[in-house]
Amino acid sequence: MPTTLQDPRTVLCFGDSNTWGFNPDGSGRFPQSTRWPNQLEHALNRTKPALPWRTVEEGLNSRTWLHDDPIGAANYGGDYSCNGRADLMTALHSHKPIDVVILALGCNDCKGYLNLSAAQIAAGARILIHDTRRALNCGPRLQEDMAPQIILMTPPAVLITSQSLAWGFEGAALKSKDVAEHYHRLAAELGVSCFDVQPVAKPSPLDGVHFDAQAQALIAAGLAACIRQNLEQHPNPDN
């Protein structure tokens, strides 16, 4: 068998601080083994598939679907733009070939000062799904002309706390739930998978936005099941 066929299948986890692994106690980033993208890799490889899996962490604090957010970026020295669309194509081409793309954005779009409706936030998801599908030769190995499978992951059901309000999440408790409903409809319309994290894991009451260490494992298990279901629907001899 050619050496190239031994390469693992790739899952690109493209998201915000909850993909990056922000610890809600404010101490920084969770250890690598704790973060859900890395737990997802272990979950997918637990059954010892013919081809192993690898996950790529592409999380960034304060990242949105489409919007620069200088207020959010100021928390990190203003060193970068928060616009997810500006980063996505580079990430796709940096890590191709890619089998699955998890788009896990929308939480930061719920910040009150951005003045976005749930429908407008879902419109941002629509655009990045489109971008993923049109990216040139970023699909699975030997099928690069096909788009990667896409999983649209909902934002957490934001809790209103003193910390979430300080970050600008006024009104986000209701809006984040509305966004999840819009994602379900969008995923059905566009023929992509939707992973609703809200019934699976709650954000920590410490800050109301980020998942704690225990939630990381729940998210990884849920996403692994979602990916396996996709494989059953689109069987491959190397599964």
Side-chain angles (χ1 to χ4, degrees), residues 66 85 88 122-132 134 186:
L66 299 172
R85 193 184 193 194
L88 176 62
R126 179 189 295 273
I127 290 172
L128 269 70
I129 291 169
H130 166 79
D131 288 352
T132 300
R134 74 177 178 84
L186 178 65

Side-chain angles (χ1 to χ4, degrees), residues 58-112:
E58 277 288 350
L60 183 69
N61 296 323
S62 292
R63 180 180 273 156
T64 67
W65 286 113
L66 299 172
H67 297 277
D68 292 326
D69 179 9
I71 296 175
N75 293 318
Y76 309 100
D79 289 341
Y80 54 81
S81 166
C82 297
N83 183 332
R85 193 184 193 194
D87 300 332
L88 176 62
M89 201 61 71
T90 298
L92 290 168
H93 284 284
S94 294
H95 302 294
K96 65 185 180 183
I98 300 171
D99 296 85
V100 180
V101 175
I102 299 172
L103 296 174
L105 291 172
C107 183
N108 290 301
D109 299 79
C110 291
K111 291 175 178 175

Side-chain angles (χ1 to χ4, degrees), residues 25-235:
D25 70 8
S27 63
R29 193 177 194 183
F30 280 123
Q32 182 181 21
S33 61
T34 303
R35 303 193 296 264
W36 68 256
N38 300 308
Q39 292 204 50
L40 172 60
E41 180 176 303
H42 290 299
L44 290 170
N45 287 319
R46 199 166 290 138
T47 57
K48 300 188 181 305
L51 286 179
W53 291 89
R54 72 172 184 125
T55 55
V56 176
E57 297 178 284
E58 277 288 350
L60 183 69
N61 296 323
S62 292
R63 180 180 273 156
T64 67
W65 286 113
L66 299 172
H67 297 277
D68 292 326
D69 179 9
I71 296 175
N75 293 318
Y76 309 100
D79 289 341
Y80 54 81
S81 166
C82 297
N83 183 332
R85 193 184 193 194
D87 300 332
L88 176 62
M89 201 61 71
T90 298
L92 290 168
H93 284 284
S94 294
H95 302 294
K96 65 185 180 183
I98 300 171
D99 296 85
V100 180
V101 175
I102 299 172
L103 296 174
L105 291 172
C107 183
N108 290 301
D109 299 79
C110 291
K111 291 175 178 175
Y113 60 78
L114 291 177
N115 296 311
L116 296 172
S117 69
Q120 289 170 326
I121 294 169
R126 179 189 295 273
I127 290 172
L128 269 70
I129 291 169
H130 166 79
D131 288 352
T132 300
R133 284 176 162 169
R134 74 177 178 84
L136 182 64
N137 295 334
C138 286
R141 188 175 295 280
L142 304 182
Q143 297 177 303
E144 292 91 346
D145 57 332
M146 295 178 58
Q149 292 187 32
I150 297 171
I151 298 175
L152 178 61
M153 178 171 162
T154 70
V158 174
L159 304 175
I160 298 304
T161 66
S162 59
Q163 183 58 74
S164 64
L165 288 174
W167 283 329
F169 284 97
E170 183 177 356
L174 290 176
K175 187 179 293 185
S176 59
K177 293 178 181 178
D178 288 343
V179 169
E181 294 178 5
H182 278 78
Y183 281 16
H184 279 285
R185 292 195 291 269
L186 178 65
E189 176 190 343
L190 298 182
V192 303
S193 297
C194 182
F195 176 68
D196 191 348
V197 76
Q198 295 187 7
V200 174
K202 308 299 183 187
S204 168
L206 291 176
D207 69 13
V209 176
H210 297 105
F211 298 113
D212 63 17
Q214 289 70 34
Q216 307 292 317
L218 296 173
I219 295 167
L223 284 166
C226 184
I227 291 172
R228 292 192 188 102
Q229 183 179 22
N230 283 343
L231 292 178
E232 290 173 1
Q233 294 171 351
H234 304 90

